Coordinates of all heavy atoms in Angstrom, one line a residue:
Y1 N -51.8 -32.2 10.5 CA -50.8 -31.0 10.7 C -49.5 -31.8 11.2 O -49.5 -32.7 12.0 CB -51.3 -30.1 11.8 CG -52.6 -29.5 11.6 CD1 -53.8 -29.9 12.1 CD2 -52.7 -28.4 10.6 CE1 -55.0 -29.2 11.8 CE2 -53.8 -27.8 10.3 CZ -55.0 -28.2 10.9 OH -56.1 -27.5 10.6
V2 N -48.4 -31.3 10.8 CA -47.1 -31.7 11.3 C -46.2 -30.6 11.8 O -46.2 -29.6 11.1 CB -46.4 -32.4 10.1 CG1 -44.9 -32.9 10.6 CG2 -47.2 -33.6 9.6
F3 N -45.7 -30.7 12.9 CA -44.8 -29.6 13.6 C -43.6 -30.2 13.9 O -43.4 -31.3 14.6 CB -45.5 -29.1 14.8 CG -46.8 -28.5 14.6 CD1 -48.0 -29.3 14.7 CD2 -46.9 -27.1 14.3 CE1 -49.2 -28.7 14.3 CE2 -48.2 -26.5 14.0 CZ -49.3 -27.4 14.0
Y4 N -42.5 -29.6 13.5 CA -41.1 -29.9 14.0 C -40.8 -29.2 15.2 O -40.9 -28.1 15.4 CB -40.1 -29.3 12.8 CG -38.6 -29.7 13.2 CD1 -38.1 -31.0 13.1 CD2 -37.9 -28.7 13.7 CE1 -36.8 -31.2 13.5 CE2 -36.5 -28.8 14.0 CZ -36.0 -30.2 13.9 OH -34.6 -30.4 14.2
V5 N -40.3 -30.1 16.2 CA -40.0 -29.6 17.5 C -38.5 -30.0 17.9 O -38.1 -31.1 17.7 CB -40.9 -30.2 18.6 CG1 -40.6 -29.9 20.0 CG2 -42.4 -30.0 18.2
E6 N -37.8 -29.0 18.4 CA -36.5 -29.1 18.8 C -36.3 -28.7 20.2 O -36.7 -27.6 20.5 CB -35.6 -28.4 17.9 CG -34.1 -28.7 18.1 CD -33.2 -28.1 17.0 OE1 -33.5 -28.1 15.9 OE2 -32.1 -27.7 17.5
M7 N -35.7 -29.4 21.0 CA -35.5 -29.0 22.4 C -34.0 -29.3 22.8 O -33.4 -30.4 22.4 CB -36.4 -29.9 23.4 CG -37.7 -29.7 23.2 SD -38.8 -30.7 24.2 CE -38.5 -32.3 23.5
N8 N -33.4 -28.3 23.5 CA -32.0 -28.5 24.0 C -31.9 -27.9 25.5 O -32.5 -26.9 25.7 CB -31.1 -27.5 23.1 CG -31.1 -28.0 21.7 OD1 -30.5 -29.0 21.4 ND2 -31.7 -27.2 20.8
T9 N -31.2 -28.8 26.3 CA -31.1 -28.4 27.7 C -29.9 -29.1 28.3 O -29.5 -30.0 27.7 CB -32.4 -28.8 28.5 OG1 -32.1 -28.3 29.8 CG2 -32.6 -30.3 28.5
H10 N -29.3 -28.5 29.3 CA -28.2 -29.2 30.0 C -28.6 -29.3 31.5 O -27.7 -29.5 32.3 CB -26.9 -28.5 29.8 CG -26.5 -28.6 28.3 ND1 -25.7 -29.6 28.0 CD2 -26.5 -27.8 27.3 CE1 -25.5 -29.6 26.7 NE2 -25.9 -28.5 26.3
S11 N -29.9 -29.2 31.9 CA -30.4 -29.3 33.2 C -31.1 -30.5 33.5 O -31.2 -31.0 34.6 CB -31.2 -28.1 33.6 OG -32.3 -27.9 32.7
V12 N -31.8 -31.2 32.5 CA -32.5 -32.4 32.7 C -32.4 -33.4 31.6 O -32.0 -33.0 30.4 CB -34.1 -32.2 33.0 CG1 -34.3 -31.3 34.2 CG2 -34.6 -31.5 31.7
N13 N -32.8 -34.6 31.8 CA -32.9 -35.6 30.7 C -34.2 -35.5 30.0 O -35.2 -35.7 30.7 CB -32.7 -37.0 31.3 CG -32.6 -38.1 30.3 OD1 -33.2 -37.9 29.1 ND2 -32.1 -39.2 30.6
I14 N -34.2 -35.2 28.8 CA -35.5 -34.9 28.0 C -35.9 -36.1 27.1 O -36.9 -36.1 26.5 CB -35.5 -33.7 27.3 CG1 -34.4 -33.5 26.4 CG2 -35.6 -32.5 28.3 CD1 -34.4 -32.3 25.4
V15 N -35.1 -37.2 27.0 CA -35.2 -38.3 26.1 C -36.4 -39.1 26.5 O -37.1 -39.6 25.6 CB -33.9 -39.2 26.0 CG1 -34.2 -40.3 25.2 CG2 -32.9 -38.3 25.4
D16 N -36.7 -39.4 27.7 CA -37.7 -40.3 28.2 C -39.2 -39.6 28.1 O -40.1 -40.5 28.4 CB -37.4 -40.8 29.5 CG -36.2 -41.6 29.5 OD1 -35.9 -42.3 28.5 OD2 -35.5 -41.6 30.6
Y17 N -39.4 -38.5 27.8 CA -40.7 -38.0 27.7 C -41.5 -38.6 26.4 O -40.9 -38.6 25.3 CB -40.7 -36.4 27.7 CG -40.4 -35.8 28.9 CD1 -39.0 -35.3 29.1 CD2 -41.2 -35.6 30.0 CE1 -38.6 -34.7 30.3 CE2 -40.8 -35.0 31.1 CZ -39.6 -34.6 31.3 OH -39.2 -33.9 32.5
D18 N -42.8 -38.9 26.7 CA -43.6 -39.3 25.6 C -44.3 -38.1 25.0 O -45.3 -37.6 25.5 CB -44.7 -40.3 26.2 CG -45.7 -40.8 25.1 OD1 -45.6 -40.4 24.0 OD2 -46.6 -41.6 25.5
M19 N -43.6 -37.5 24.0 CA -44.0 -36.3 23.5 C -45.5 -36.3 23.0 O -46.2 -35.3 23.1 CB -43.1 -35.9 22.3 CG -41.7 -35.6 22.9 SD -41.6 -34.2 24.0 CE -42.1 -32.9 23.0
A20 N -45.9 -37.3 22.3 CA -47.3 -37.4 21.8 C -48.4 -37.3 22.8 O -49.4 -36.6 22.6 CB -47.6 -38.7 21.0
S21 N -48.1 -37.9 24.0 CA -49.0 -37.7 25.0 C -49.1 -36.4 25.8 O -49.9 -36.1 26.6 CB -48.9 -38.9 26.1 OG -47.7 -38.7 26.8
L22 N -48.1 -35.6 25.6 CA -47.9 -34.4 26.3 C -48.3 -33.1 25.5 O -48.1 -32.1 25.9 CB -46.4 -34.1 26.8 CG -45.9 -35.3 27.8 CD1 -44.4 -35.0 28.1 CD2 -46.7 -35.3 29.0
A23 N -48.7 -33.3 24.2 CA -48.9 -32.3 23.3 C -50.4 -32.1 22.9 O -51.0 -33.2 22.5 CB -48.0 -32.4 22.0
D24 N -50.9 -30.9 22.8 CA -52.3 -30.7 22.3 C -52.1 -29.6 21.3 O -51.2 -28.7 21.4 CB -53.2 -30.2 23.3 CG -53.5 -31.2 24.4 OD1 -53.5 -32.4 24.1 OD2 -53.8 -30.8 25.5
L25 N -53.0 -29.6 20.3 CA -53.1 -28.4 19.3 C -54.4 -27.9 19.3 O -55.5 -28.6 19.1 CB -52.9 -28.9 17.9 CG -52.9 -28.0 16.8 CD1 -51.8 -26.9 17.0 CD2 -52.6 -28.6 15.5
D26 N -54.6 -26.6 19.5 CA -55.8 -25.9 19.4 C -55.8 -25.3 18.0 O -54.9 -24.4 17.7 CB -56.0 -24.8 20.4 CG -57.3 -24.0 20.3 OD1 -57.6 -23.7 19.2 OD2 -57.8 -23.7 21.4
A27 N -56.6 -25.7 17.1 CA -56.8 -25.3 15.7 C -58.1 -24.7 15.5 O -59.1 -25.3 15.5 CB -56.6 -26.5 14.8
G28 N -58.1 -23.3 15.6 CA -59.3 -22.5 15.4 C -60.4 -22.9 16.5 O -61.5 -22.8 16.2
G29 N -60.0 -23.2 17.6 CA -60.9 -23.4 18.8 C -61.2 -24.8 19.1 O -61.9 -25.2 20.1
E30 N -60.7 -25.8 18.1 CA -60.9 -27.3 18.4 C -59.6 -27.8 18.9 O -58.5 -27.6 18.3 CB -61.2 -27.8 17.0 CG -61.5 -29.4 17.1 CD -61.9 -30.0 15.8 OE1 -62.2 -29.4 14.8 OE2 -62.0 -31.2 15.8
T31 N -59.7 -28.5 20.0 CA -58.5 -29.2 20.6 C -58.3 -30.6 19.9 O -59.2 -31.3 19.9 CB -58.5 -29.3 22.1 OG1 -58.7 -28.0 22.6 CG2 -57.4 -30.0 22.7
I32 N -57.1 -30.8 19.5 CA -56.7 -32.0 18.9 C -55.5 -32.6 19.6 O -54.5 -32.0 19.8 CB -56.3 -31.8 17.4 CG1 -57.4 -31.0 16.6 CG2 -56.0 -33.2 16.7 CD1 -57.0 -30.5 15.3
K33 N -55.6 -33.9 19.9 CA -54.5 -34.6 20.7 C -53.5 -35.0 19.6 O -54.0 -35.6 18.5 CB -55.0 -35.8 21.5 CG -56.0 -35.5 22.5 CD -55.2 -35.0 23.7 CE -56.1 -34.8 24.9 NZ -55.4 -34.1 25.9
A34 N -52.2 -35.0 19.9 CA -51.2 -35.5 19.1 C -51.4 -37.0 18.8 O -51.7 -37.7 19.7 CB -49.7 -35.2 19.5
E35 N -51.2 -37.4 17.6 CA -51.4 -38.9 17.2 C -50.0 -39.6 17.3 O -50.1 -40.8 17.6 CB -51.8 -38.9 15.8 CG -53.3 -38.6 15.5 CD -53.8 -38.8 14.1 OE1 -53.0 -39.1 13.2 OE2 -55.0 -38.8 14.0
K36 N -48.9 -38.9 17.0 CA -47.7 -39.6 17.0 C -46.5 -38.6 17.1 O -46.6 -37.4 16.7 CB -47.5 -40.2 15.6 CG -46.4 -41.1 15.4 CD -46.4 -41.8 14.0 CE -45.2 -42.7 13.8 NZ -45.2 -43.3 12.6
W37 N -45.4 -39.1 17.6 CA -44.1 -38.5 17.7 C -43.1 -39.2 16.9 O -42.8 -40.3 17.2 CB -43.6 -38.3 19.2 CG -42.2 -37.9 19.3 CD1 -41.2 -38.6 19.6 CD2 -41.6 -36.5 19.2 NE1 -40.0 -38.0 19.7 CE2 -40.3 -36.7 19.4 CE3 -42.2 -35.3 18.9 CZ2 -39.5 -35.6 19.4 CZ3 -41.4 -34.2 18.7 CH2 -40.0 -34.3 19.1
D38 N -42.6 -38.6 15.8 CA -41.6 -39.2 15.1 C -40.2 -38.7 15.5 O -39.9 -37.5 15.1 CB -41.8 -39.0 13.6 CG -42.8 -40.0 13.0 OD1 -43.0 -41.1 13.5 OD2 -43.3 -39.8 11.9
S39 N -39.5 -39.4 16.2 CA -38.1 -38.8 16.8 C -37.2 -38.7 15.6 O -37.1 -39.6 14.8 CB -37.6 -39.6 17.8 OG -36.4 -39.1 18.3
A40 N -36.4 -37.7 15.5 CA -35.3 -37.5 14.6 C -34.0 -37.6 15.3 O -32.9 -37.4 14.7 CB -35.4 -36.2 13.8
T41 N -34.0 -37.8 16.6 CA -32.9 -37.9 17.5 C -32.5 -39.3 17.9 O -33.5 -40.0 18.4 CB -33.0 -37.0 18.7 OG1 -33.4 -35.6 18.3 CG2 -31.8 -36.9 19.5
E42 N -31.4 -39.7 17.8 CA -30.9 -41.0 18.4 C -29.8 -40.7 19.5 O -28.8 -40.1 19.2 CB -30.3 -41.8 17.4 CG -31.4 -42.3 16.3 CD -30.9 -43.3 15.4 OE1 -30.0 -44.1 15.8 OE2 -31.5 -43.4 14.3
G43 N -30.1 -41.2 20.7 CA -29.2 -41.0 21.8 C -29.2 -39.6 22.3 O -29.8 -38.7 21.8
G44 N -28.4 -39.5 23.3 CA -28.2 -38.1 24.0 C -29.4 -37.8 24.8 O -30.5 -38.0 24.5
A45 N -29.1 -37.3 26.0 CA -30.1 -37.0 26.9 C -30.5 -35.6 27.0 O -31.6 -35.2 27.6 CB -29.6 -37.3 28.3
H46 N -29.9 -34.7 26.4 CA -30.1 -33.2 26.5 C -30.5 -32.5 25.1 O -30.9 -31.3 25.2 CB -28.9 -32.5 27.1 CG -28.5 -33.1 28.4 ND1 -29.2 -32.9 29.6 CD2 -27.4 -33.9 28.7 CE1 -28.6 -33.6 30.5 NE2 -27.5 -34.1 30.0
H47 N -30.5 -33.2 24.1 CA -31.0 -32.6 22.8 C -31.9 -33.6 22.1 O -31.7 -34.7 22.0 CB -29.7 -32.5 21.9 CG -28.6 -31.8 22.6 ND1 -28.7 -30.4 22.7 CD2 -27.5 -32.2 23.2 CE1 -27.6 -30.0 23.4 NE2 -26.9 -31.1 23.7
R48 N -33.0 -33.1 21.7 CA -34.1 -33.9 21.2 C -34.8 -33.1 20.1 O -35.2 -32.0 20.2 CB -35.1 -34.3 22.2 CG -36.1 -35.4 21.8 CD -36.7 -36.0 23.0 NE -37.5 -37.1 22.6 CZ -38.5 -37.6 23.3 NH1 -38.9 -37.0 24.3 NH2 -39.1 -38.8 22.8
N49 N -35.1 -33.9 19.0 CA -35.9 -33.1 17.9 C -36.8 -34.2 17.2 O -36.4 -35.4 17.3 CB -35.0 -32.3 16.9 CG -34.0 -33.2 16.2 OD1 -33.5 -34.1 16.8 ND2 -33.7 -32.9 15.0
G50 N -37.8 -33.7 16.6 CA -38.7 -34.7 15.9 C -39.9 -34.1 15.4 O -40.0 -32.8 15.5
F51 N -40.9 -34.9 15.0 CA -42.1 -34.3 14.4 C -43.3 -34.7 15.2 O -43.4 -35.9 15.5 CB -42.2 -34.8 13.0 CG -41.1 -34.4 12.1 CD1 -40.0 -35.1 12.0 CD2 -41.2 -33.2 11.3 CE1 -39.0 -34.7 11.2 CE2 -40.1 -32.7 10.6 CZ -39.0 -33.5 10.6
L52 N -44.2 -33.7 15.6 CA -45.5 -34.0 16.2 C -46.5 -34.1 15.2 O -46.5 -33.1 14.3 CB -45.9 -33.0 17.2 CG -45.2 -33.1 18.6 CD1 -45.5 -31.8 19.4 CD2 -45.7 -34.3 19.3
L53 N -47.3 -35.1 15.1 CA -48.3 -35.2 14.0 C -49.8 -35.3 14.7 O -49.9 -35.9 15.7 CB -48.2 -36.6 13.3 CG -46.9 -36.7 12.3 CD1 -45.6 -37.0 13.1 CD2 -47.1 -37.7 11.3
F54 N -50.6 -34.4 14.0 CA -51.9 -34.3 14.4 C -52.8 -34.5 13.2 O -52.5 -34.1 12.1 CB -52.2 -32.8 15.1 CG -51.4 -32.5 16.2 CD1 -50.1 -31.9 16.1 CD2 -52.0 -32.6 17.5 CE1 -49.4 -31.6 17.1 CE2 -51.3 -32.2 18.5 CZ -49.9 -31.6 18.4
Q55 N -54.0 -35.0 13.5 CA -55.0 -35.2 12.4 C -55.6 -33.9 12.1 O -56.0 -33.1 13.0 CB -56.1 -36.1 12.9 CG -57.1 -36.5 11.7 CD -58.3 -37.4 12.2 OE1 -58.3 -37.9 13.3 NE2 -59.1 -37.6 11.3
K56 N -55.6 -33.6 10.8 CA -56.2 -32.4 10.3 C -57.7 -32.5 10.3 O -58.2 -33.3 9.6 CB -55.7 -31.9 9.0 CG -56.1 -30.6 8.5 CD -55.5 -30.1 7.2 CE -56.1 -28.7 6.8 NZ -55.5 -28.4 5.5
K57 N -58.3 -31.6 11.1 CA -59.8 -31.7 11.2 C -60.5 -30.5 10.8 O -61.7 -30.3 10.7 CB -60.2 -32.0 12.7 CG -59.7 -33.3 13.3 CD -60.2 -33.5 14.6 CE -59.8 -34.9 15.1 NZ -60.3 -35.1 16.5
T58 N -59.7 -29.4 10.5 CA -60.3 -28.1 10.1 C -59.3 -27.2 9.3 O -58.1 -27.6 9.3 CB -60.7 -27.3 11.3 OG1 -61.2 -26.0 11.1 CG2 -59.5 -27.1 12.3
D59 N -59.8 -26.4 8.7 CA -58.9 -25.4 7.9 C -58.7 -24.1 8.7 O -59.0 -23.0 8.3 CB -59.5 -25.1 6.5 CG -59.4 -26.2 5.5 OD1 -58.5 -27.0 5.6 OD2 -60.4 -26.4 4.7
A60 N -58.2 -24.3 9.9 CA -58.0 -23.2 10.9 C -57.0 -22.2 10.4 O -56.1 -22.5 9.6 CB -57.6 -23.7 12.2
K61 N -57.1 -21.0 10.8 CA -56.1 -19.9 10.5 C -55.4 -19.5 11.8 O -54.4 -18.8 11.7 CB -56.9 -18.7 10.0 CG -57.6 -19.0 8.7 CD -56.7 -19.3 7.6 CE -57.4 -19.5 6.3 NZ -56.7 -20.2 5.3
R62 N -55.9 -19.9 13.0 CA -55.3 -19.6 14.2 C -54.8 -20.9 14.9 O -55.6 -21.9 15.1 CB -56.0 -18.8 15.1 CG -56.3 -17.4 14.5 CD -57.2 -16.5 15.4 NE -57.2 -16.8 16.8 CZ -58.2 -16.6 17.6 NH1 -59.3 -16.0 17.1 NH2 -58.2 -16.8 18.8
F63 N -53.7 -21.1 15.6 CA -53.1 -22.2 16.1 C -52.5 -21.9 17.5 O -51.9 -20.9 17.7 CB -52.2 -22.9 15.3 CG -52.6 -23.3 13.9 CD1 -52.7 -22.5 12.8 CD2 -53.2 -24.7 13.8 CE1 -53.2 -22.9 11.7 CE2 -53.7 -24.9 12.6 CZ -53.7 -24.1 11.5
K64 N -52.6 -23.0 18.4 CA -51.8 -22.9 19.7 C -51.4 -24.3 20.0 O -52.2 -25.2 20.2 CB -52.7 -22.3 20.8 CG -51.9 -22.4 22.2 CD -52.7 -21.6 23.3 CE -53.9 -22.5 23.7 NZ -54.6 -22.0 24.7
L65 N -50.1 -24.5 19.9 CA -49.5 -25.8 20.3 C -49.0 -25.8 21.7 O -48.3 -24.8 22.2 CB -48.2 -26.1 19.4 CG -47.5 -27.3 19.7 CD1 -48.3 -28.6 19.5 CD2 -46.1 -27.4 19.0
T66 N -49.6 -26.7 22.6 CA -49.3 -26.7 24.0 C -48.5 -28.1 24.2 O -49.0 -29.1 23.8 CB -50.5 -26.7 24.8 OG1 -51.3 -25.5 24.5 CG2 -50.1 -26.7 26.3
I67 N -47.4 -28.0 24.9 CA -46.6 -29.1 25.4 C -46.5 -29.0 26.9 O -46.1 -27.9 27.4 CB -45.2 -29.0 24.7 CG1 -45.2 -29.1 23.2 CG2 -44.4 -30.3 25.2 CD1 -44.1 -29.0 22.4
K68 N -46.9 -30.0 27.5 CA -47.1 -30.1 29.0 C -46.1 -30.9 29.8 O -45.7 -31.8 29.2 CB -48.5 -30.5 29.4 CG -49.7 -29.8 28.6 CD -51.0 -30.5 28.9 CE -51.1 -31.8 28.3 NZ -51.6 -31.9 26.9
K69 N -45.8 -30.4 30.9 CA -45.1 -31.2 31.9 C -43.7 -31.7 31.4 O -43.4 -32.9 31.7 CB -46.0 -32.4 32.4 CG -47.3 -31.9 33.0 CD -48.2 -33.0 33.4 CE -49.4 -32.6 34.0 NZ -50.4 -33.7 34.3
I70 N -42.9 -30.8 31.0 CA -41.6 -31.2 30.7 C -40.6 -30.4 31.6 O -40.7 -29.2 31.6 CB -41.2 -30.9 29.2 CG1 -42.0 -32.0 28.4 CG2 -39.7 -31.1 28.9 CD1 -41.8 -31.9 26.9
A71 N -39.7 -31.1 32.2 CA -38.6 -30.5 33.1 C -39.3 -29.5 34.2 O -38.7 -28.4 34.4 CB -37.7 -29.7 32.2
G72 N -40.4 -29.9 34.8 CA -41.0 -29.2 35.8 C -41.8 -27.9 35.4 O -42.3 -27.2 36.3
I73 N -42.0 -27.7 34.1 CA -42.7 -26.6 33.6 C -44.1 -27.1 33.3 O -44.3 -28.1 32.5 CB -42.1 -25.9 32.3 CG1 -40.7 -25.6 32.6 CG2 -42.9 -24.8 31.9 CD1 -40.5 -24.5 33.7
A74 N -45.1 -26.5 33.8 CA -46.5 -27.0 33.6 C -47.0 -27.1 32.2 O -47.5 -28.0 31.8 CB -47.5 -26.2 34.4
K75 N -46.7 -26.0 31.4 CA -47.0 -26.0 30.0 C -46.2 -24.9 29.3 O -45.9 -23.9 29.9 CB -48.5 -25.8 29.8 CG -49.1 -24.5 30.2 CD -50.5 -24.5 29.9 CE -51.2 -23.2 30.4 NZ -52.6 -23.1 30.2
R76 N -46.0 -25.2 28.1 CA -45.4 -24.2 27.2 C -46.4 -24.1 26.0 O -46.8 -25.0 25.4 CB -44.0 -24.8 26.7 CG -43.0 -24.8 27.7 CD -41.7 -25.5 27.2 NE -40.6 -25.4 28.1 CZ -40.3 -26.2 29.0 NH1 -41.1 -27.3 29.3 NH2 -39.3 -26.1 29.9
E77 N -46.6 -22.8 25.7 CA -47.6 -22.6 24.6 C -46.9 -21.8 23.5 O -46.2 -20.8 23.8 CB -48.8 -21.7 25.1 CG -49.6 -22.5 26.2 CD -50.8 -21.7 26.5 OE1 -50.7 -20.5 26.6 OE2 -51.8 -22.4 27.0
F78 N -47.2 -22.2 22.2 CA -46.7 -21.5 21.1 C -47.9 -21.2 20.2 O -48.7 -22.0 19.8 CB -45.8 -22.4 20.3 CG -44.8 -23.0 21.1 CD1 -44.9 -24.1 21.8 CD2 -43.5 -22.3 21.3 CE1 -43.9 -24.7 22.6 CE2 -42.5 -22.8 22.2 CZ -42.7 -24.0 22.8
K79 N -48.1 -19.8 19.9 CA -49.3 -19.3 19.2 C -48.9 -18.6 17.9 O -47.8 -17.9 17.8 CB -50.0 -18.4 20.1 CG -50.5 -18.9 21.4 CD -51.2 -17.8 22.2 CE -51.5 -18.4 23.5 NZ -52.1 -17.2 24.4
W80 N -49.8 -18.7 16.9 CA -49.5 -18.1 15.7 C -50.8 -18.2 14.8 O -51.7 -18.9 15.0 CB -48.3 -18.7 14.8 CG -48.5 -20.1 14.3 CD1 -48.9 -20.4 13.1 CD2 -48.4 -21.3 15.0 NE1 -49.0 -21.8 13.1 CE2 -48.7 -22.3 14.2 CE3 -48.0 -21.5 16.4 CZ2 -48.6 -23.6 14.7 CZ3 -47.9 -22.9 16.8 CH2 -48.2 -23.9 15.9
S81 N -50.8 -17.2 13.8 CA -52.0 -17.1 12.9 C -51.3 -17.1 11.4 O -50.3 -16.7 11.3 CB -52.7 -15.8 13.0 OG -53.2 -15.7 14.3
L82 N -52.2 -17.7 10.6 CA -51.8 -17.7 9.1 C -52.4 -16.6 8.3 O -53.3 -16.1 8.7 CB -52.3 -19.1 8.5 CG -51.9 -20.3 9.1 CD1 -52.4 -21.5 8.4 CD2 -50.3 -20.4 9.0

């Protein structure tokens, strides 16, 4: 699975976060750790985008992407169904 993630802020520096270690994917009830973060941003402390890559282990229809511990927020969850 590949997810495009874009973040913009003017309150904290978001460049130094290790995105792959902070992201989990729940795919149909199975939790998968991110394998890699491919950054598409060069420079800048307040704007960041790139791709989170997860190993596909199931043909799930429901997903929850969780990104933890960025800018003092314990977790952000994004949910959807196919």
Side-chain angles (χ1 to χ4, degrees):
Y1 301 107
V2 178
F3 297 91
Y4 176 75
V5 177
E6 185 171 326
M7 298 177 288
N8 297 289
T9 182
H10 288 279
S11 58
V12 296
N13 181 340
I14 56 177
V15 172
D16 294 329
Y17 288 99
D18 179 0
M19 294 299 294
S21 70
L22 301 176
D24 295 331
L25 178 66
D26 179 317
E30 182 176 354
T31 301
I32 306 167
K33 297 285 187 186
E35 290 186 343
K36 185 177 182 183
W37 166 257
D38 278 338
S39 181
T41 306
E42 292 191 26
H46 304 291
H47 308 284
R48 191 166 191 204
N49 61 326
F51 299 90
L52 277 169
L53 288 79
F54 297 84
Q55 181 180 1
K56 185 175 180 180
K57 296 182 177 184
T58 180
D59 289 326
K61 301 293 183 198
R62 294 179 26 209
F63 299 90
K64 178 174 70 175
L65 176 63
T66 303
I67 301 175
K68 303 172 294 270
K69 301 178 184 176
I70 293 183
I73 306 298
K75 66 182 176 178
R76 292 173 172 88
E77 295 181 333
F78 306 90
K79 300 176 186 179
W80 65 97
S81 298
L82 299 179

